[in-house]
């Protein structure tokens, strides 16, 4: 199950078992006995920083903490919580806990979904924010097929087909340009100024205002500016909501809740397509305005909800508001003991990060992404997977499927219905990702799905070679051309959603070390939105220059290129502890890619040519789980 695995969202405050790193080096005089000059392996210090600390010293540290932050009324619970965090696997034998307290802690494993109502209220709000994201991306799919003529994006008005393509591409891609250039990079300063809830409120309010603006514009330049404004909300929301959910959720269900971002984004994509069908039959000049304006509802509901949710305890601790952080944990945990445990453990994680990053600002941490070899390899891997999510061609379908179906011979209403089908499949097949991503791993899922994505794109593109219907005729969906196009696109969604849908964000969250994770995620999300813009802007011109056959063939070729890049440069991260992730990303790039070439040849000889071969020597020294393909 996804929520039972160790993910990078557990980095800062997870209840990891002690590792050899701590035990073998003897007792530590302090939690902060670390060598910050060894930036290749700093993750190891976050594995369980309390392990190895002398009990007497730990109790003194806890008492000092309670005195400093006016929490002496919780001193007993705080001491118990610190000892639980130090040795989470020995709770059943702990003599310092009352039987009822033991039951509460052990129940976290046996009844992992038993949490206060407030936690689920918070999850509902985050899910609506994700659905807002998906709707913002796809409502334009149906609207663009209508507003181009109404707003004068035509050859008659602009003089050439290339100008039509450029303007149509700019209008469609405007939000993603704003995301890549500004929105993603505003995440860190906005979170610092307005906290997590404030950033979510502002980004959702921006999305709501942009929806109204889009629905009342009278010209394409005005629509372009409105969609640029929309992008400012998309970028900050896409980075903040998963972090907020991870910082509020208990460790055992944190992975599952963070995964919900992708699931409910896919739900929003489906709803966006449904809005095209719901309003597409109205008068054209009203239909496209209602389609674009329909996205105003969900962000307003989020805005109404968000301040009823507690602020992120981790953000409060980072800003010295420990008393308020404890109050947040009280609302999100069943007992004060659990709230004290998570408060103290999170405080230790934050203090470690502050010491490691002392004197560093955003730019110096960004420099560390590429200056430190371990971080550079993680940056390369996340760049490949985020770039791959876009250039596998998925958003060609998300943004232009209605136009593609129109070119394939559909009427407008039929094209809108067919596009709704792609949205429904995108969501339905995202649901199994909850199980597949941790059952099969990130790397195997992507290696398996990329070839099928290439086949589906080729299938769709080559279907346009089938004789089209006569101009102006209404054709039956049973005709071969229509049937082949829709089958290719629907199969693409079926293979995409459980693989390339959830993997990029999950992988990027795991790959970066704790102390540069927020900067690393800004890099990763900026990469995603930058290539989203490139894809959305260029596709109309590609359709004109290469026809549908060549345009789909282009992205099919990229799927195969990305398949090779994943094999060579993407290490597995499933179930690896923080220290193990350091080990995996410390392997030189040339050594990893060379080994994977040999590994690929070995699998071909073993499973295709049925040769009996000795296993290859392991790439990583240590546990067997290191050496998955």
């Amino acid at each position: 199950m996804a929520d039972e695995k160790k993910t990078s969202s557990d980095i800062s405050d997870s209840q990891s078992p002690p590792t050899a790193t701590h035990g073998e080096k003897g007792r530590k005089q302090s939690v902060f006995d670390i060598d910050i000059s060894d930036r290749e392996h700093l993750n190891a210090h976050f594995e369980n920083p309390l392990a190895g600390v002398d009990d007497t010293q730990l109790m003194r540290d806890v008492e000092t903490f309670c005195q400093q932050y006016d929490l002496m009324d919780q001193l007993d619970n705080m001491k118990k919580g610190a000892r639980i965090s130090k040795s989470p696997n020995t709770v059943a034998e702990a003599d310092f806990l009352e039987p009822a307290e033991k039951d509460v802690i052990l129940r976290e494993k046996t009844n992992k979904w038993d949490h206060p109502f407030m936690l689920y209220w918070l999850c509902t709000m985050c899910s609506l924010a994700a659905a807002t994201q998906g709707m913002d991306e796809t409502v334009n799919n149906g609207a663009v097929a209508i507003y181009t003529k109404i707003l004068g994006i035509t050859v008659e008005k602009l003089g050439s087909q290339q100008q039509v393509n450029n303007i149509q591409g700019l209008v469609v891609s405007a939000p993603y340009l704003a995301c890549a250039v500004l929105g993603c990079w505003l995440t860190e300063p906005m979170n610092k100024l307005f906290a997590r809830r404030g950033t979510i409120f502002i980004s959702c309010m921006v999305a709501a205002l942009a929806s109204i603006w889009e629905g009342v514009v009278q010209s394409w330049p005005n629509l372009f500016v409105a969609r640029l404004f929309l992008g400012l909300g998309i970028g900050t929301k896409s980075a903040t909501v998963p972090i907020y959910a991870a910082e509020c959720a208990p460790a055992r269900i944190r992975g599952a809740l963070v995964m919900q971002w992708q699931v409910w984004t896919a739900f929003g994509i489906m709803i966006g397509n449904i809005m095209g069908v719901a309003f597409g039959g109205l008068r054209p000049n009203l239909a496209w305005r209602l389609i674009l304006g329909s996205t105003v509802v969900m962000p307003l509901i989020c805005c109404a909800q968000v301040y009823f949710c507690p602020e992120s305890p981790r953000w409060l601790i980072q800003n010295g508001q420990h008393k308020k952080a404890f109050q947040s944990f009280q609302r999100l945990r069943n007992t004060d003991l659990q709230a004290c445990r998570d408060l103290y453990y999170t405080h230790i994680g934050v203090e470690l990060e502050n010491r490691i990053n002392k004197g560093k600002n955003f730019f110096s941490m960004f420099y560390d992404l590429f200056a430190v070899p371990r971080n550079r390899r993680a940056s390369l891997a996340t760049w490949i997977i985020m770039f791959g999510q876009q250039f596998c061609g998925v958003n060609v379908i998300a943004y232009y499927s209605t136009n593609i179906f129109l070119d394939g011979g559909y009427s407008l209403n039929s094209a809108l219905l067919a596009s709704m089908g792609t949205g429904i499949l995108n969501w339905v097949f995202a649901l199994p990702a909850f199980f597949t991503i941790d059952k099969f791993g990130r790397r195997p899922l992507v290696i398996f799905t990329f070839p099928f994505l290439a086949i589906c794109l080729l299938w769709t593109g080559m279907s346009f070679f089938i004789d089209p219907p006569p101009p102006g005729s209404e054709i039956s969906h049973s005709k071969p051309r229509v049937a082949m196009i829709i089958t290719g696109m629907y199969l693409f969604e079926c293979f995409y959603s459980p693989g390339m849908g959830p993997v990029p964000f999950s992988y990027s969250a795991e790959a970066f070390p704790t102390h540069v994770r927020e900067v690393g995620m800004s890099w990763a999300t900026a990469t995603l939105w930058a290539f989203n813009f490139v894809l959305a802007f260029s596709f109309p011109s590609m359709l004109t220059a290469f026809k549908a056959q060549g345009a789909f063939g282009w992205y099919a070729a990229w799927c195969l290129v990305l398949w090779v890049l994943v094999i060579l440069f993407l290490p597995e991260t499933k179930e690896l502890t923080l220290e193990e992730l350091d080990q995996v990303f410390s392997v030189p790039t040339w050594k990893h890619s060379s080994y994977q070439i040999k590994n690929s040849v070995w699998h071909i000889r073993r499973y295709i040519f049925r040769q009996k071969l000795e296993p290859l020597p392991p790439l990583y020294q240590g546990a067997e789980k290191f050496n998955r393909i």
Side-chain angles (χ1 to χ4, degrees), residues 55 59 76-88 90-99 101-102 105 337:
D55 279 348
M59 294 302 99
D76 185 50
N77 279 331
M78 206 72 70
K79 287 182 175 180
K80 290 177 180 179
R83 295 182 71 180
I84 292 169
S85 293
K86 177 184 173 181
S87 303
T90 61
V91 170
E93 297 81 38
D95 57 5
F96 58 87
L97 293 175
E98 300 292 333
E101 293 172 330
K102 285 185 184 179
I105 302 302
L337 174 61

Side-chain angles (χ1 to χ4, degrees), residues 171-247:
V171 171
V172 173
S173 64
Y176 320 117
L177 174 63
C179 282
V181 174
L182 191 57
C184 291
W185 305 107
L186 285 174
T187 301
E188 200 265 346
M190 284 187 64
N191 275 271
K192 183 173 289 187
L193 287 173
F194 304 111
R196 309 294 190 226
R197 293 183 306 175
T199 302
I200 294 170
F201 180 89
I202 292 169
S203 62
C204 285
M205 186 57 68
V206 167
L209 293 174
S211 299
I212 297 171
W213 188 351
E214 286 180 294
V216 299
V217 299
Q218 299 298 326
S219 65
W220 70 259
N222 201 348
L223 180 59
F224 171 71
V225 176
R227 288 181 60 76
L228 277 176
F229 183 67
L230 173 65
L232 299 180
I234 291 178
T236 52
K237 183 160 74 282
S238 66
T240 301
V241 173
I243 291 173
Y244 177 63
E247 291 175 342

